[in-house]
Amino acid sequence: MTESVRNVAVFSLGGTIAMTTDPATGGVVPALSAHELLAAVPALATSGIGLKVRDFRRLPGASLTFEDLTALSAAVAAELETGDVDGVVITQGTDTIEETAFLLDLYHGHEQPVVVTGAMRNPTLPGADGPANLHAAVQAAADPVLRGAGCLVVLGDEVHSARTVRKSHTTSPAAFTSPACGPVARIAENRVRMVGGGLSSRGPLVGAPDREARVGLYTVTLGDDGALLDLWQGNCDGLVVAAFGVGHVPERLVEGLTKLASRIPVVLASRIGNGPVLSDTYGFPGSEKDLLGRGLIGAGDLGPYQARLLLHALLAQGADGATVRATFTTASAR
């Protein structure tokens, strides 16, 4: 075996990449350990990269919770603080990869990269992509060119920033894209090759949560009469509104949103998930200018899922309304 010159810690959370067929149901379920995942990638044994392996959870991506990810963030930080590893790889289900990566990036204050990967095809299918994605993720985590890059997502030999990555297809192996800017790097011949403008600026760094917080996500739809919006009154600590286009809602929702924004932070995002919420273009009732003037907080180019995670992280730290607004203003300017 080639002598190890760099070291990577691998945390396994379950997901499609770790699934096998359940004989009782005929469906696939998370069952493979982290060691079994690595055994399916023999090229890692001669890569010159030492691996520290930890089974952390065995759950579908859809079942991961804030508590799971808070514990994972703490475990990753503890591993990085030893100085024994050059990077971290996390394997998990692709359903929530973009959310996991963004949330971990908010908590990640170390120089070593944290790389999240998974698989679109489970190991029982022809052309299962898990081994190739895991190999690429380990290569990325070990490469010094990605130091300081924060949390990244690697699938299909592409490296994406946690801030820009989206899952854009339900089944395609090429499901993960960064619609606004493309990948920051690609992996070929066992090394990272930077592309385009390279690494994007990172979002804000938020401390670990110390209290419970509930943040809702309300998606505006055609013909929306606002009745469901009323259900959030008194039932959440903050709300993200996934609005039409550049930040528009039906006029019928304006009064309800104004009342909510007087009591809790209400963040205005776009349900499109690519491109910014504007601030000073349209002026009709329910436009972005009207809503921001009524106390809503613009999400900038953060999609609604990201905006919800940032708002949750801030409120779980006890941030007041002024701090929430200032943080979103800074994040939107990046």
Side-chain angles (χ1 to χ4, degrees):
M1 180 183 295
T2 304
E3 183 181 356
S4 296
V5 293
R6 300 188 69 76
N7 296 291
V8 171
V10 179
F11 290 77
S12 173
L13 301 186
T16 295
I17 192 172
M19 290 193 179
T20 56
T21 302
D22 181 349
T25 65
V28 292
V29 295
L32 300 178
S33 70
H35 285 91
E36 289 171 317
L37 292 178
L38 292 168
V41 194
L44 288 175
T46 56
S47 66
I49 300 171
L51 299 173
K52 297 179 66 175
V53 184
R54 182 170 175 184
D55 269 318
F56 197 78
R57 297 284 189 274
R58 293 192 191 179
L59 294 169
S63 293
L64 292 172
T65 65
F66 281 114
E67 290 75 19
D68 291 323
L69 297 179
T70 298
L72 174 64
S73 177
V76 167
E79 186 69 64
L80 294 177
E81 284 165 6
T82 68
D84 295 335
V85 297
D86 300 284
V88 170
V89 168
I90 295 163
T91 65
Q92 71 155 83
T94 59
D95 283 349
T96 51
I97 274 184
E98 65 180 90
E99 290 172 273
T100 293
F102 185 81
L103 186 60
L104 290 177
D105 195 53
L106 293 177
Y107 297 140
H108 177 46
H110 293 79
E111 284 296 298
Q112 301 100 315
V114 173
V115 178
V116 188
T117 193
M120 294 299 295
R121 293 174 176 164
N122 72 74
T124 71
L125 296 176
D129 55 333
N133 289 338
L134 181 52
H135 184 262
V138 170
Q139 295 288 342
D143 199 312
V145 75
L146 292 177
R147 283 187 67 84
C151 192
L152 304 158
V153 171
V154 172
L155 285 94
D157 288 335
E158 292 186 339
V159 182
H160 296 271
S161 163
R163 181 183 173 94
T164 61
V165 71
R166 303 287 187 272
K167 185 176 182 180
S168 56
H169 198 277
T170 58
T171 61
S172 170
F176 284 84
T177 62
S178 291
C181 59
V184 298
R186 292 188 172 89
I187 298 169
E189 296 182 327
N190 298 326
R191 70 181 182 88
V192 175
R193 300 166 185 257
M194 305 304 294
V195 297
L199 298 175
S200 59
S201 58
R202 295 184 59 189
L205 186 64
V206 181
D210 59 16
R211 67 195 67 194
E212 294 290 328
R214 174 179 287 179
V215 175
L217 174 59
Y218 182 86
T219 302
V220 178
T221 54
L222 180 68
D224 197 332
D225 63 3
L228 294 178
L229 186 63
D230 294 337
L231 299 177
W232 291 108
Q233 291 278 4
N235 289 313
C236 61
D237 305 297
L239 182 68
V240 172
V241 178
F244 296 124
V246 297
H248 299 162
V249 304
E251 185 173 352
R252 293 182 295 277
L253 272 64
V254 171
E255 182 179 352
L257 288 173
T258 303
K259 290 179 180 178
L260 277 169
S262 70
R263 299 186 178 100
I264 60 173
V266 179
V267 175
L268 181 66
S270 172
R271 69 179 197 173
I272 294 172
N274 183 21
V277 166
L278 296 181
S279 60
D280 199 30
T281 297
Y282 296 90
F284 56 84
S287 68
E288 84 288 347
K289 186 175 182 179
D290 178 51
L291 295 173
L292 296 177
R294 293 172 179 271
L296 275 70
I297 300 167
D301 65 353
L302 294 179
Y305 305 129
Q306 296 171 318
R308 175 178 174 266
L309 292 171
L310 177 55
L311 182 56
H312 183 277
L314 291 169
L315 295 178
Q317 265 273 293
D320 59 18
T323 300
V324 169
R325 183 176 296 277
T327 304
F328 270 91
T329 299
T330 301
S332 300
R334 293 176 182 272

